[in-house]
Amino acid sequence: VGPGESNLRRRALALELATIAWNVLEGILAIVAGLLAGSVALVAFGLDSSVEVFASAVVVWELRGVDRRRERRAVRAIGAAYFVVAVYILLDSGNALRIANRPEASPIGMVLLAATVLVMAALGIAKLRVGRELRSATVTADGRFSLVDGSLAGAVLAGLALTAVLGWWWADALLAIGISLVAFREGREAWIGREPETT
C-alpha cells in the first residue's frame, strides 16, 4: 500500500468515525423526540440512523482489514440491515395510519433534521470522493447512504412542518412509509451488488 492510498484510507476512516459519532447522537435524539411527539416518521428516521451507524462500522471494519475480498461481504451486511429497518418502519407506519395517530409538533426534531441535512450532505460528498479515489465500493456505498440520510432528513422535516402548520397528521405516517421504501431500495442495491453512483 503506497503513501497516497494510506492517506486516503486515513481520510476515509476519519469520515466514517465522524459519521458514527453524528448518527449516534442523531439517532438517539430523533427517537426520543419522535416518541415524545408521537411521530412515526421521526422515530423511523432515528432507526434509519442506526443503520447508518452500522454501515459506517462495517466500513471501518473493512478499511482496517487487508483482504479486499471482505468488501463484498461488508456491503451485503449493510444491505441486510436496511431490509430489517425497512420492514419494521413499514409495519409501524401502517399501524399509525390504521389508528389515525396524530403527532404533535417537535421543534427539537425540526432543528435536528435541519442540521442533519447539512452534516450528511457534507459527509456524503466527501466519502464519495474518497471512495472513488480509493476505488472502494464500500466507502462509496456508505457515502451514498449518507446522502440518502440527508435527503430523508429533509423529507421528514417537511412532514413535521406540514403537521405543525396545516395539521396534516397523515403526512407523518406517509413519509415514514416513504423512508421504508427508500431503505428497502438501498438494501436491495447493496445486496445485489449494484455499483453505487459516484456523481
Side-chain angles (χ1 to χ4, degrees), residues 11 15 121-131:
R11 281 171 55 195
L15 288 169
L123 286 171
I125 291 170
K127 283 190 275 189
L128 286 177
R129 287 176 180 165
V130 173

Side-chain angles (χ1 to χ4, degrees), residues 74-139:
V75 176
R76 275 200 163 193
I78 294 170
Y82 265 98
F83 284 139
V84 172
V85 168
V87 171
Y88 177 83
I89 293 172
L90 187 62
L91 293 174
D92 197 37
S93 53
N95 184 60
L97 283 174
R98 182 182 63 81
I99 65 175
N101 178 64
R102 297 176 181 272
E104 299 175 4
S106 177
I108 294 175
M110 295 175 77
V111 170
L112 171 67
L113 292 167
T116 297
V117 171
L118 300 176
V119 172
M120 286 296 109
L123 286 171
I125 291 170
K127 283 190 275 189
L128 286 177
R129 287 176 180 165
V130 173
R132 184 167 52 231
E133 292 180 46
L134 267 177
R135 296 183 180 179
S136 168
T138 314
V139 175

Side-chain angles (χ1 to χ4, degrees), residues 38-42 101 103 159-160 163 168-177:
S39 169
V40 288
L42 201 47
N101 178 64
L160 291 181
T163 299
W168 291 0
W169 62 269
W170 41 266
D172 184 75
L174 289 181
L175 278 167
I177 291 173

Side-chain angles (χ1 to χ4, degrees), residues 23-32 34-35 39-55 81-93 112-113 149 152 156 176 179-180 183:
N23 277 286
V24 167
L25 176 66
E26 169 194 286
I28 292 171
L29 290 178
I31 290 172
V32 171
L35 291 173
S39 169
V40 288
L42 201 47
V43 172
F45 181 75
L47 292 172
D48 186 75
S49 297
S50 71
V51 180
E52 183 69 23
V53 170
F54 175 69
Y82 265 98
F83 284 139
V84 172
V85 168
V87 171
Y88 177 83
I89 293 172
L90 187 62
L91 293 174
D92 197 37
S93 53
L112 171 67
L113 292 167
D149 191 30
L152 291 177
V156 176
I179 292 174
S180 79

